[in-house]
Amino acid sequence: MMKLWRRMRWAARHRRAAADLAAEIECHRAAHQAALERNGLPREEAGRESRRAMGNVTLAREDARGVWLAPWIESVAQDVSYGLRLLRKGPSFAGAMVTVIALGIGATTMIFALLDALVLKDLPVRDPAGLVYFKDPAFSYPVLQQVQARSTAVLSQVAAWDVDRFNVQWRQSLEPTDVLSATGEFYALLGVSPAAGRLFGPPDDRVGGGADGRVAVISCEAWRRRFDADPAVIGHVVRIAGEPFTIVGVAPAGFFGVAAGLAPELTVPVSVMRDVGRLASTSSAWLHLIARLRSGVTVQQANVALNTFWPAVLEATTNQNMPPERRAMYLGRKTALIAARTGYSRIRNQYQDSLWMMLALVSLLLAVACASAANLWLARGLARRREIAVRFAIGASRSRVIRQMLTEAGLTTAIGAAAGVALAVWGGSALVVMMSTSVETISLDLRVNARVLAFTALLAVLSTALGAVAPVLKATRLHAGETLKQHGPLAGALPGRWSQGLVAIQIALTAALLVGAALFVRSLDRIVSRDAGFDRRGVLVVSTDAVGAGYGAARLRQYYDSVLQRLLAIGPDVESVSLSQYPPISDQMGSWTQSVGVDGGPIQMEPSHDQSVYFNGVSPGYFRTIGMRLLQGRDFAVTDREAGTRVVIVNESLARFAFPGADPIGHRISIGRAAARKDLEIVGLVQDSKYQRLQEPSRRIAYVPFAQVAELLERQNLVVEVRAGESPVIRAAVIAAVHEIDAAVPVRLETIGGRIRESLARERVMAMLAAALGGAALLLACAAVYGLLSYTVVRRTSEFGVRIALGASRADVVSMVLRGAFSVLAVGLVAGLLAAASLGRFVRALLFDLQPLDPASFFAAAGILITVTAGAVILPARRAARVDPSIALRAE
Amino acid sequence: MGITNQPPDLLPGTLDLLILRTLVAGPLHGYAVADRLKVVSREVLQVGESSLYPALQRLLLNGWVKAEWGASENNRRARFYTLTAAGRKQLAAERAEFERLVAAIQRVLQLA
């Protein structure tokens, strides 16, 4: 063992060692020359004589080197070339083997690469281990200032950031672009240095801009893509949401801030990007906080310190006018510092559980692949019995033969793994595209890195160990003499319990995987088939960014009025149009929630967000446009103006909650407090509908007419709904109509169905991936069943011939084959379903409205497995039935 | 003293034994080992570097000696070989084995 270690160390620095040896031998010659000179030889002659006496120096060096190298390098090289020759000679075996391994390792590597990019990779910043972020998603700007002032004992720097999508006027085009707003400390805290120009610092982060005005930093990737890495980008002006920003620098390549999965193209100082009102507000929480620990301070110590100063931070940022309950709630907010070496990411929070689950599922596929490989190796071992026996007979040791066969296995696995990595990169990028939505482009760096390669290498070693070692050991456990005496290529080779066991294992793993796939598919189906409460087809949702294009207050109202008129003017295809603050399925656009008072009673604070009332501002005709039924009362009318009675339309859930058993029409609910209190008279009742996403439970929703909440919506874009079908012609007409009003306002067109699809991106990715894995496993399992049975039939052909000759019917023969197959299938299926049942609790959290023991999923999985494998059983069984006794017997 | 000068009758394995023995007194570099063998054996044993260096590498590989660079007597950089504990043990074992063998040969020569 020590010897092997010394050899390896030597090999690792063999250049040094060779140089040492050369120096040593030269030293030897010099010593010899010196000795000759001492004996009176003239210097030159001594030199010549000493060189002559050395003889063949190169050979001496080679010999000395050989001591370290010869025994293993040579034989490994021999094994590799022999292995390659064998693989070339049997391309179908090599092909099957490489495919199986590539599938298993590729799929596993793919999921791992996603996890690596999203969860495991350190931020590309100085000392990422010293970073912490504040738990609980978002904080107001005053909280940041308080934290900065009070945390200096444990945190050396605190910065805040936020990624949002704005319309950016690039050189040629106006495009919605992810923009990172960060405070001045951001870059210094992270310790990144610019690829060109400069990054911004605290002096730039002032309202209205610093000495250089309004500055922006462009990401290296955007710089390359949009400006061909032109250094003249420094000084270039881009308009973000209509405001000019001067690019002063390029961020280093691969740096996109601290949010894994997002790749904002521009970074701007927070105080320049956001208006003063937002910065001063203590009630809007929108910034994420990241900080660097003072050196020597641990996360635990920092958290202890945080707990002492956090109440003071909250106390200093409460509004004294707040009602006491709300104040108490605010003061009760908790936070904690969490190590942030991999950054903070909403996308990660959204996907990480799913990805770990996928890694578990995909390792089942890998296990199936290993079992397939093992079966192939078993067959290979049987086919090579004679060759192995000959090798033993001429004196090869068993360990030598084992080593040779394992080298061959390692070689195939390595080729398969390499193909798998290619597959992983390709599949991973496809998955990232599926995970992205039109509002959020997920960007992950899936380039193969050392960790991913190490993982793949580990998988390769593991699958060689699982797939090849046992079959090889088994193949070499034979008696040379006995084997050589037998006849025929498969003589004496029994199909064996091993193969059957392996196939049963494959069936079991496949069954478990299929149950998983069925659960995810059914869960998605459950969500999709929920009643949304509005039409999913025939309604276009038009999002415009008029605010970004410079519209404000009064002009904004005017703009939307003319959009509605222009849309109605398209023609009879447009049945109705409406405006709303949030579109159906608001998803990432968020929500507006308020607590309400009933019939003049006090405002009731709800213990949880979910139980407060969701509001949406809508125009008359909204319900008709999206296809919601008005159950009682009336819709809003143009006569519901600012001056008139404040009105509201409630949904069933809210009516049931506030006025159980009573007719809500004519009752009132109130929002706001003291002077700001407003009573709203209920004029209509609409059916329940989904507000943010399909999965949500029925929410209490109140709709208010725009005209009466104008102050809330002054600086906010609205969404236009158009009931006009979804044909391309109408889509084009709608976009043209909106552009006609003002071509500078960016427009995005969606359908309600499209919004639903995007809101379910995660669930869909899971279902598709699980189904794909199940399918791949099923394919491998089928091939295995087919292989096992074909082999059995070939092996037993002469036996069947005898039986038929002696009067057995063909049905008897077929049933013999089927019996063998059936037991293997049954054992595998039952084991797989049991395993799936016991592992079910791990997927519970990812399922919607579905128990992990959902019988339909289990039946579906079993049904698919039985049907498909039946196909693989029938072909060999038919071949058995067609055995001609005379031919079978003659072959013997 | 090229390749052909190697004493033809050196029993296999004895070179390792002899090298180990020369190192008992203290660390030596390669040339000094050859020189010591030559002097002590009254010029009967002349070991060429083509067998000396592979042998030294073998001893290194087995962990019986360790090598360190240092300055030789005439101030050249030279690699000095030192006997390790394992080397001492090996020397004792080989020496015992060798003496047993020689004694046996002599008995045969005298008595057979």
Side-chain angles (χ1 to χ4, degrees):
Chain A
M1 215 55 227
M2 275 306 288
K3 224 159 146 173
L4 180 66
W5 167 240
R6 271 186 228 117
R7 266 192 219 284
M8 272 157 45
R9 232 178 38 185
W10 188 90
R13 41 181 203 95
H14 76 276
R15 254 173 227 287
R16 262 288 304 285
D20 276 357
L21 196 59
E24 194 175 6
I25 289 177
E26 171 56 24
C27 164
H28 185 113
R29 190 203 60 76
H32 187 52
Q33 178 181 351
L36 290 174
E37 277 178 45
R38 269 199 304 279
N39 288 350
L41 235 61
R43 189 181 174 81
E44 269 172 40
E45 205 171 316
R48 216 165 30 241
E49 170 57 22
S50 71
R51 265 190 296 279
R52 197 195 57 74
M54 289 300 285
N56 192 339
V57 174
T58 319
L59 186 68
R61 268 191 348 225
E62 291 283 298
D63 282 352
R65 253 166 61 101
V67 170
W68 296 92
L69 282 179
W72 71 331
I73 291 284
E74 221 168 85
S75 67
V76 165
Q78 210 177 25
D79 285 352
V80 167
S81 79
Y82 185 64
L84 282 175
R85 208 160 62 224
L86 282 179
L87 292 178
R88 263 204 306 275
K89 262 171 58 184
S92 57
F93 170 81
M97 202 67 203
V98 167
T99 312
V100 164
I101 295 290
L103 203 63
I105 289 187
T108 318
T109 303
M110 173 178 83
I111 302 294
F112 182 79
L114 282 175
L115 267 171
D116 177 65
L118 197 58
V119 182
L120 302 176
K121 201 176 276 176
D122 277 353
L123 289 172
V125 302
R126 173 172 55 82
D127 184 22
L131 296 176
V132 286
Y133 70 84
F134 283 66
K135 197 186 157 194
D136 278 355
F139 305 89
S140 67
Y141 192 73
V143 166
L144 165 72
Q145 291 172 315
Q146 287 295 326
V147 168
Q148 281 175 331
R150 293 172 195 270
S151 65
T152 48
V154 285
L155 303 177
S156 61
Q157 271 172 316
V158 186
W161 60 275
D162 174 45
V163 175
D164 207 344
R165 185 163 280 199
F166 294 96
N167 281 296
V168 174
Q169 179 68 56
W170 297 99
R171 277 192 298 191
Q172 272 95 28
S173 59
L174 182 68
E175 277 179 50
T177 305
D178 284 340
V179 176
L180 170 66
S181 310
T183 56
E185 304 83 8
F186 191 68
Y187 288 113
L189 183 155
L190 295 175
V192 294
S193 21
R198 69 176 183 94
L199 305 172
F200 62 74
D204 298 295
D205 185 24
R206 301 219 175 95
V207 176
D212 288 347
R214 311 159 62 90
V215 299
V217 170
I218 188 171
S219 80
C220 192
E221 283 64 18
W223 178 48
R224 287 190 189 130
R225 190 162 55 84
R226 296 184 184 273
F227 294 92
D228 296 326
D230 182 358
V233 74
I234 311 289
H236 184 82
V237 174
V238 290
R239 300 188 90 87
I240 304 174
E243 303 287 350
F245 282 82
T246 309
I247 294 176
V248 292
V250 180
F255 176 82
F256 293 103
V258 295
L262 289 181
E265 298 186 40
L266 289 168
T267 306
V268 293
V270 153
S271 309
V272 183
M273 191 63 220
R274 302 297 193 165
D275 57 71
V276 184
R278 180 150 202 189
L279 293 177
S281 162
T282 52
S283 57
S284 60
W286 54 287
L287 286 168
H288 308 287
L289 264 50
I290 188 151
R292 186 172 284 285
L293 295 171
R294 284 206 175 279
S295 63
V297 176
T298 65
V299 180
Q300 288 83 352
Q301 289 165 343
N303 264 315
V304 171
L306 175 74
N307 285 335
T308 62
F309 70 74
W310 183 244
V313 168
L314 292 174
E315 187 63 45
T317 53
T318 39
N319 187 340
Q320 293 307 315
N321 302 328
M322 258 187 198
E325 318 91 279
R326 173 160 286 202
R327 206 177 122 86
M329 194 190 261
Y330 183 83
L331 291 178
R333 280 190 66 175
K334 294 258 181 296
T335 189
L337 295 172
I338 294 175
R341 62 182 307 151
T342 58
Y344 163 86
S345 166
R346 204 168 54 69
I347 292 164
R348 174 162 69 214
N349 298 341
Q350 188 186 353
Y351 276 101
Q352 96 167 337
D353 289 351
S354 312
L355 283 175
W356 285 115
M357 171 54 55
M358 278 300 145
L359 193 63
L361 288 187
V362 95
S363 33
L364 289 186
L365 176 66
L366 182 63
V368 173
C370 284
S372 281
N375 238 334
L376 284 168
W377 282 114
L378 272 181
R380 181 96 165 150
L382 289 179
R384 278 171 62 181
R385 283 168 68 85
R386 288 185 71 83
E387 179 212 320
I388 295 167
V390 167
R391 288 166 141 241
F392 283 167
I394 58 179
S397 71
R398 179 162 178 236
S399 68
R400 186 73 190 75
V401 174
I402 289 175
R403 207 171 70 195
Q404 190 277 316
M405 290 182 78
L406 283 183
T407 306
E408 196 185 330
L411 214 57
T412 3
T413 314
I415 298 172
V421 169
L423 202 70
V425 171
W426 174 77
S429 333
L431 263 184
V432 168
V433 172
M434 285 204 291
M435 286 154 65
S436 297
T437 63
S438 57
V439 249
E440 191 164 58
T441 311
I442 297 180
S443 157
L444 289 176
D445 179 11
L446 291 177
R447 277 174 306 181
V448 177
N449 60 26
R451 182 162 39 213
V452 173
L453 273 188
F455 179 77
T456 312
L458 183 75
L459 290 184
V461 171
L462 202 72
S463 39
T464 310
L466 286 177
V469 170
V472 164
L473 290 182
K474 183 172 156 54
T476 51
R477 200 176 301 132
L478 52 76
H479 189 278
E482 291 300 316
T483 310
L484 288 176
K485 266 184 259 164
Q486 290 155 349
H487 299 286
L490 298 175
L494 296 163
R497 299 191 165 278
W498 283 56
S499 296
Q500 286 178 357
L502 282 171
V503 173
I505 289 173
Q506 273 174 293
I507 296 286
L509 292 168
T510 306
L513 246 175
L514 283 176
V515 170
L519 283 173
F520 287 118
V521 170
R522 272 184 41 81
S523 165
L524 177 64
D525 183 56
R526 283 263 165 131
I527 301 172
V528 172
S529 56
R530 295 197 101 194
D531 182 12
F534 41 74
D535 289 344
R536 298 179 188 207
R537 296 225 174 110
V539 184
L540 295 176
V541 177
V542 187
S543 315
T544 56
D545 185 15
V547 172
Y551 284 81
R555 281 186 64 219
L556 199 58
R557 289 291 312 273
Q558 222 172 33
Y559 171 78
Y560 283 115
D561 281 346
S562 26
V563 166
L564 291 189
Q565 279 166 17
R566 185 66 199 76
L567 285 172
L568 278 173
I570 289 176
D573 284 346
V574 178
E575 287 175 46
S576 72
V577 293
S578 65
L579 287 174
S580 63
Q581 184 187 5
Y582 294 106
I585 308 297
S586 68
D587 194 22
Q588 292 175 19
M589 289 172 72
S591 59
W592 166 23
T593 56
Q594 291 233 286
S595 299
V596 300
V598 176
D599 278 335
I603 307 288
Q604 294 160 3
M605 287 302 295
E606 298 303 339
S608 90
H609 199 61
D610 260 355
Q611 282 165 296
S612 46
V613 177
Y614 283 73
F615 278 76
N616 197 357
V618 302
S619 72
Y622 173 76
F623 304 113
R624 188 173 64 245
T625 307
I626 68 166
M628 269 173 79
R629 271 177 301 129
L630 188 67
L631 303 172
Q632 275 177 56
R634 64 167 177 91
D635 187 8
F636 297 127
V638 282
T639 49
D640 295 318
R641 291 188 183 288
E642 224 161 332
T645 321
R646 292 181 175 276
V647 294
V648 63
I649 293 175
V650 298
N651 76 347
E652 295 167 281
S653 291
L654 177 53
R656 241 192 331 268
F657 163 71
F659 317 100
D663 179 358
I665 308 292
H667 285 275
R668 283 168 301 143
I669 58 173
S670 37
I671 54 174
R673 273 162 212 283
R677 177 176 178 126
K678 294 183 190 99
D679 285 335
L680 313 173
E681 186 186 322
I682 298 172
V683 294
L685 174 71
V686 291
Q687 70 174 121
D688 277 350
S689 65
K690 300 301 172 201
Y691 188 100
Q692 202 160 5
R693 48 183 69 94
L694 282 180
Q695 294 98 306
E696 73 194 17
S698 291
R699 287 178 173 173
R700 300 164 193 160
I701 308 176
Y703 301 88
V704 289
F706 273 129
Q708 296 184 340
V709 284
E711 70 278 7
L712 276 175
L713 309 174
E714 253 171 16
R715 284 189 54 82
Q716 195 176 340
N717 286 313
L718 300 181
V719 184
V720 184
E721 291 88 14
V722 185
R723 188 175 192 83
E726 296 176 2
S727 74
V729 180
I730 216 74
R731 284 166 183 257
V734 166
I735 291 193
V738 177
H739 271 154
E740 235 171 75
I741 309 288
D742 184 348
V745 177
V747 185
R748 197 156 56 88
L749 203 62
E750 295 168 288
T751 60
I752 291 186
R755 292 196 62 80
I756 291 177
R757 256 195 308 287
E758 294 205 336
S759 75
L760 295 174
R762 184 186 80 150
E763 287 74 11
R764 211 178 40 255
V765 167
M766 287 288 284
M768 285 174 63
L769 210 54
L773 296 182
L778 192 57
L779 209 68
L780 291 179
C782 272
V785 169
Y786 176 81
L788 176 70
L789 286 188
S790 313
Y791 183 74
T792 314
V793 171
V794 171
R795 269 279 306 137
R796 293 173 70 182
T797 297
S798 53
E799 177 202 331
F800 292 155
V802 172
R803 283 175 186 270
I804 291 171
L806 293 179
S809 74
R810 300 200 178 258
D812 292 337
V813 170
V814 170
S815 78
M816 278 174 61
V817 174
L818 291 186
R819 249 199 322 272
F822 179 77
S823 57
V824 172
L825 283 181
V827 167
L829 187 60
V830 169
L833 294 182
L834 285 177
S838 61
L839 294 173
R841 62 204 156 95
F842 294 112
V843 299
R844 189 188 299 268
L846 295 169
L847 297 179
F848 176 79
D849 191 21
L850 198 67
Q851 287 307 307
L853 287 176
D854 174 50
S857 299
F858 279 76
F859 278 122
I864 291 171
L865 191 61
I866 291 169
T867 318
V868 176
T869 42
V873 169
I874 283 169
L875 285 175
R878 277 179 44 183
R879 211 175 308 139
R882 276 200 237 103
V883 168
D884 183 336
S886 59
I887 294 178
L889 290 176
R890 219 171 293 142
E892 204 34 23
Chain B
M1 355 176 239
I3 238 169
T4 47
N5 282 6
Q6 186 180 344
D9 50 350
L10 201 55
L11 285 167
T14 41
L15 180 57
D16 290 7
L17 170 65
L18 296 180
I19 295 176
L20 288 176
R21 177 64 186 85
T22 59
L23 294 178
V24 167
L28 289 178
H29 54 76
Y31 182 79
V33 170
D35 206 39
R36 177 74 66 88
L37 285 175
K38 187 169 134 189
V39 172
V40 174
S41 69
R42 299 198 184 132
E43 312 222 346
V44 174
L45 300 176
Q46 299 199 7
V47 181
E49 80 297 324
S50 57
S51 24
L52 175 64
Y53 286 99
L56 282 170
Q57 299 291 320
R58 207 156 45 231
L59 298 180
L60 274 177
L61 172 63
N62 286 317
W64 293 332
V65 300
K66 58 180 197 245
E68 261 169 318
W69 285 97
S72 73
E73 47 284 9
N74 41 17
N75 251 340
R76 295 184 70 93
R77 220 167 78 86
R79 189 138 73 153
F80 286 86
Y81 294 87
T82 315
L83 209 55
T84 62
R88 274 176 215 288
K89 227 186 270 169
Q90 178 67 18
L91 174 60
E94 274 190 40
R95 188 172 180 169
E97 180 58 28
F98 182 78
E99 274 162 6
R100 204 170 65 85
L101 190 65
V102 171
I105 292 172
Q106 280 190 341
R107 278 177 67 82
V108 171
L109 291 180
Q110 286 164 9
L111 305 175

